[in-house]
């Protein structure tokens, strides 16, 4: 049984993994995904297709308590609603008694219920090993405690490469400022009590960090990625991954067909990012002044003090873009996987959500990194300081919402970062070479005999082993 967390960046890869289990498991593995009715609607067409093709996979749904979850603070609303779902989820797990529980690491209670049922819990972390290692080092060593200024760089101690960060790039919880820090301690304890951890990554990308993590935590960990590439092999899977696309994907791909290889910039700053009007204006200006055609998945703006969201663009911008044919603007859910894979995409401006990084890696596309919050600043450093297939736009300040008070990333800065990645220089060529190499390795990892393919087979065997062992114990008892 799989229980994904109810945010796209967690849900999308975990559903891929559930589908992978069903595809690779054969007749003796039956997969159930437990989620809310709204989220089930986003993924049901993929699950129906799998099930029609003979895979043993189904959805089990429950209703999200919208009314009860209506707290005034928008960012606690989701957490609160999910907390309210917990008793019902636990009841459903007890009733269905699965042989293995695969849950998001944000569900610490699942470690208790799996212990109660005597079944393994696999925690899905949502990010990569690099982030897990950095987070662990920072928590254990507090390197930022010695630094007086927010903008002074410090080196992250005890990890395989030299990686630098600033205090201003650290998440609130690390600096002990947020209400959520106790909750995060609980998550960590639950992770350590789990049977193991599943990570959406592959050996070639993070080998040293996978070893480091296993050594430091003593946990078993499986690398099953890139999960997007591993399971989504046909057109329907790709264009509607994680939800029905809000644009006509064929029109979008036809437009890309009309462009030169590696010429188009794709800009998407994740499913949760909200900007100020001023920041949207700067991005619009950069895109208009740059010579590269683009596809822009527009982030909403948040009205100050109201918590209301809406899309907004500077007057006339969209008409000018339409008339010149220079770009496409997407409001809502974009077929990201299909877009990134297109040969005309030559650069990706990303907020460094882990899934986006993995998808960009699969497509062999160099990146302009623009981290905003969560663990995105850590992920950025893998791209810019370790693997070196991207360049930073230079955001220095971690913040959940890009309010009017935050320093702006000026259009000029975005344009010059895009030029470094998409221009004709030596640096651009080297970053593209590295990105293409990683893309090839990603494909190899999920192919027959690849590292992720083998780890998946090994994991399924281990789950079967746990079940037989339990049956043996029950039999003796
Ligand atoms: N995504 C998508 N279309 C969109 C926005 C996002 O398909 O319009 C997918 C994207 O491909 C990725 C996930 O949603 O798989 C977002 O996860 P990520 O870790 O990149 O960022 P988050 O949204 O969690 O910050």
């Amino acid at each position: 049984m799989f229980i994904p967390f109810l945010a796209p960046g967690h849900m999308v890869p975990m559903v891929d993994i559930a589908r992978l289990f069903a595809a690779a498991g054969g007749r003796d593995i039956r997969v159930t995904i437990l989620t809310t009715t709204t989220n089930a609607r986003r993924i049901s067409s993929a699950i129906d297709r799998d099930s029609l093709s003979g895979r043993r996979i189904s959805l089990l749904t429950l209703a999200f308590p919208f009314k009860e979850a209506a707290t005034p603070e928008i960012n606690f609303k989701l957490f609160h609603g999910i907390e309210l779902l917990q008793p019902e989820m636990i009841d459903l797990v007890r009733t269905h008694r699965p042989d293995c529980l695969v849950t998001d690491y944000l569900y610490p209670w699942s470690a208790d219920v799996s212990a109660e049922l005597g079944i393994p819990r696999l925690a899905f972390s949502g990010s990569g090993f690099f982030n897990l290692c950095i987070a662990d080092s920072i928590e254990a060593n507090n390197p930022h405690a010695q630094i007086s200024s927010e903008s002074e760089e410090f080196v992250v101690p005890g990890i395989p490469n030299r990686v630098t960060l600033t205090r201003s790039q650290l998440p609130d919880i690390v600096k002990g400022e947020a209400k959520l820090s106790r909750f995060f301690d609980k998550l960590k304890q639950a992770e350590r009590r789990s049977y193991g951890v599943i990570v959406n990554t592959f050996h070639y990308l993070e080998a040293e960090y996978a070893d480091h993590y296993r050594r430091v935590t003593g946990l078993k960990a499986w690398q099953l990625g890139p999960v997007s590439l591993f399971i989504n092999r046909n057109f329907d899977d790709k264009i509607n991954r994680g939800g029905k696309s809000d644009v006509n994907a064929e029109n979008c791909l036809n437009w890309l067909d009309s462009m030169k290889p590696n010429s188009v910039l794709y800009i998407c700053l994740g499913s949760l990012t909200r900007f100020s009007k001023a920041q949207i204006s700067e991005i619009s200006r950069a895109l208009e002044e740059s010579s590269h055609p683009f596809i822009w998945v527009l982030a909403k703006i948040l009205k100050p003090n109201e918590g209301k969201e809406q899309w907004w663009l500077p007057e006339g911008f969209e008409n000018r873009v339409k008339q010149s044919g220079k770009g496409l603007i997407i409001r809502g859910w974009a077929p990201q996987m299909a877009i990134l894979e297109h040969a005309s995409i030559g650069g990706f401006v990303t907020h460094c959500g882990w899934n986006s990084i993995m998808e960009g890696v699969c497509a062999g596309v160099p990146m302009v990194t623009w981290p905003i919050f969560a663990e995105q600043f850590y992920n950025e450093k893998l791209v810019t300081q370790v693997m070196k297939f991207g360049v930073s736009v230079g955001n220095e300040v971690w913040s959940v919402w890009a309010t009017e008070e935050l320093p702006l990333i000026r259009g000029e800065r975005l344009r010059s970062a895009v030029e470094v990645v998409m221009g004709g220089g030596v640096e651009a060529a080297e970053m593209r070479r590295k990105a293409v190499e990683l893309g090839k390795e990603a494909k190899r990892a999920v192919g027959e005999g690849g590292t992720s393919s083998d780890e998946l087979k090994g994991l399924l065997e281990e789950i079967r082993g746990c079940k037989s062992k339990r049956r043996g114990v029950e039999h003796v008892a």
Side-chain angles (χ1 to χ4, degrees), residues 128-156:
F129 284 115
F130 184 75
N131 158 59
L132 295 174
C133 293
I134 293 202
D136 216 74
S137 164
I138 290 183
E139 195 190 331
N141 302 298
N142 265 319
H144 53 290
Q146 274 67 280
I147 310 288
S148 52
S149 127
E150 285 289 301
S151 57
E152 189 185 328
E153 285 193 340
F154 64 86
V155 177
V156 180

Side-chain angles (χ1 to χ4, degrees), residues 14-31:
M14 199 151 156
V15 169
D16 281 348
I17 297 173
R19 296 178 59 215
L20 264 178
F21 271 46
R27 295 305 301 165
D28 70 327
I29 290 194
R30 191 157 59 85
V31 172

Side-chain angles (χ1 to χ4, degrees), residues 262-387:
N262 292 338
S263 68
V264 179
L265 181 71
Y266 175 61
I267 162 162
C268 176
L269 295 151
S271 60
L272 304 171
T273 301
R274 303 290 177 260
F275 276 134
S276 62
K277 272 189 183 177
Q279 189 59 79
I280 294 280
S281 291
E282 292 296 318
I283 299 174
S284 320
R285 194 161 60 78
L287 293 176
E288 218 166 0
E289 288 172 3
S290 140
S291 59
H292 305 285
F294 62 86
I295 294 182
W296 182 13
V297 184
L298 194 57
K300 286 182 177 169
I301 59 159
L302 200 59
K303 281 195 171 170
N305 308 324
E306 288 181 37
K308 279 197 188 134
E309 310 174 328
Q310 65 184 57
W311 279 300
W312 177 88
L313 277 170
E315 189 74 37
F317 173 79
E318 194 160 11
N319 270 342
R320 290 194 297 278
V321 169
K322 265 191 196 141
Q323 270 160 21
S324 65
K326 190 181 170 188
L328 299 181
I329 296 163
I330 299 179
R331 289 178 176 78
W333 196 251
Q336 173 156 313
M337 188 180 170
I339 291 175
L340 277 171
E341 277 189 354
H342 197 284
S344 295
I345 297 293
F348 179 15
V349 181
T350 174
H351 70 309
C352 300
W354 185 246
N355 298 293
S356 292
I357 290 188
M358 289 301 285
E359 290 150 27
V361 161
C362 293
V365 178
M367 298 175 186
V368 171
T369 56
W370 187 336
I372 316 269
F373 72 109
E375 89 295 4
Q376 295 155 13
F377 284 90
Y378 298 174
N379 296 342
E380 172 186 55
K381 309 307 180 221
L382 180 70
V383 177
T384 57
Q385 295 183 11
V386 178
M387 285 300 182

Side-chain angles (χ1 to χ4, degrees), residues 1 17 32 35 37 79 91-92 116 120 128 134 154 205 209 275 277 320 344 348 351 381 406 461 471 475:
M1 179 179 276
I17 297 173
T32 305
T35 189
T37 34
F79 272 110
D91 277 352
L92 284 168
E116 173 196 315
I134 293 202
F154 64 86
L205 183 68
Y209 290 90
F275 276 134
K277 272 189 183 177
R320 290 194 297 278
S344 295
F348 179 15
H351 70 309
K381 309 307 180 221
L406 278 175
E461 262 323 295
R471 285 264 163 92
H475 186 67

